[in-house]
Amino acid sequence: MLGALESVAPLPLQESWDNAGLQLGLTEAEVSGALLCLDVNEAIVDEAIAKGCNLIVSHHPLLFRGLKQISDGDYVQRAVIKAIKSDIVIVSMHTNMDNARGGVNWKIAERLGLQDVAFFARKTVDGIEAGSGVVGCLETPMAAADFIGRVKDRFGVACAQCNELLRRPIRRVAICGGAGDFLLSEAEQLGADAFITGEMHYHAYFGYEQRIQICVIGHYQSEQFTSEVFARIIAEHCPGVRTVIAETNTNPIVYI
């Protein structure tokens, strides 16, 4: 299973600060079912147990910073204890899946119906083509308000954080799931009319008025369909494995 996921998103594609791959558990375990999710917390482990899944595949790593103790001190430690007690293996595909062809950003482009999708912020790692973002084109140019409406509809968000509406049609769209403001300038330079990401710093919005349409939809919301990427990979490479997309909403942000 781990080999199947890494065949699409090899670990060398992850950023230097990341901790993707096997998080805990024994890789020789026979998979009774794989629960696919964005984050891992106690509720996700409980859902895996309830649904008879001894493997959790997440996007965000459970173990990101080193643990100096394993007790009940925080949600990470409690999730680790619960998973170990229930013999649950946890695997995370994070920035390696962000950077991979067919990964997180490609899924966002698919949801938006973009065509001619290609990498931008390209890199080559161990001979593998990768990129921090993707760019593609709408089939038909759209007014900015209509485009933002499409984004909100396709990702189920009630509101988006944007700069002022662009007064020209949007055709070319750049994407970086999660926290992507580091790519905003490059997206504009490559001629994108719009840039979609999950979160941006306040000051990053300044200076792009009528240059590119910014549309920020939330970190969780931008990556919420990553589980479908995992499901596709497992179905193609391990067709006998049962997969379950988690129903637990792990977004820690509450909108009031």
Side-chain angles (χ1 to χ4, degrees), residues 168-211:
R168 69 169 190 269
I170 290 174
R171 175 71 185 273
R172 200 169 192 215
V173 180
I175 294 169
C176 180
D181 54 12
F182 69 102
L183 289 181
L184 177 57
S185 177
E186 188 166 345
E188 187 210 1
Q189 291 170 16
L190 62 82
D193 302 303
F195 178 66
I196 299 174
T197 190
E199 61 177 287
M200 281 187 16
H201 291 90
Y202 171 77
H203 292 284
Y205 289 82
F206 285 96
Y208 288 92
E209 297 83 5
Q210 299 308 313
R211 290 164 57 184

Side-chain angles (χ1 to χ4, degrees), residues 30-187:
E30 183 176 346
V31 179
S32 61
L35 185 73
L36 316 177
C37 59
L38 193 64
D39 311 287
V40 181
N41 57 19
E42 291 176 90
I44 285 289
V45 178
D46 285 336
E47 183 174 350
I49 295 168
K51 294 180 176 176
C53 298
N54 64 348
L55 171 65
I56 294 172
V57 181
S58 71
H59 181 46
H60 297 139
L62 173 64
L63 302 178
F64 194 76
R65 298 173 181 85
L67 292 178
K68 294 187 177 181
Q69 65 177 18
I70 301 177
S71 66
D72 60 353
D74 58 37
Y75 84 92
V76 173
Q77 296 176 56
R78 291 191 295 272
V80 167
I81 291 171
K82 185 168 285 190
I84 290 174
K85 284 184 174 179
S86 298
D87 293 324
I88 292 175
V89 176
I90 300 177
V91 172
S92 299
M93 298 282 111
H94 191 210
T95 53
N96 53 324
M97 191 61 77
D98 289 330
N99 290 327
R101 179 175 295 278
V104 177
N105 295 316
W106 296 75
K107 186 64 180 181
I108 296 171
E110 177 189 307
R111 295 286 303 185
L112 290 173
L114 300 188
Q115 302 177 338
D116 303 319
V117 178
F119 284 122
F120 81 99
R122 291 172 180 269
K123 60 189 85 175
T124 301
V125 181
D126 292 349
I128 303 167
E129 183 189 24
S132 299
V134 301
V135 60
C137 292
L138 295 166
E139 183 177 2
T140 305
M142 302 179 70
D146 294 334
F147 171 73
I148 292 168
R150 171 185 282 199
V151 175
K152 290 166 60 179
D153 178 67
R154 299 289 172 89
F155 288 84
V157 298
C159 65
Q161 292 178 290
C162 307
N163 58 347
E164 69 178 22
L165 292 180
L166 202 65
R167 292 191 292 270
R168 69 169 190 269
I170 290 174
R171 175 71 185 273
R172 200 169 192 215
V173 180
I175 294 169
C176 180
D181 54 12
F182 69 102
L183 289 181
L184 177 57
S185 177
E186 188 166 345

Side-chain angles (χ1 to χ4, degrees), residues 2 5-15 18-22 91-96 125-126 128:
L2 187 56
L5 292 165
E6 291 183 9
S7 70
V8 175
L11 287 181
L13 295 188
Q14 73 177 313
E15 303 296 335
D18 199 8
N19 187 40
L22 179 66
V91 172
S92 299
M93 298 282 111
H94 191 210
T95 53
N96 53 324
V125 181
D126 292 349
I128 303 167

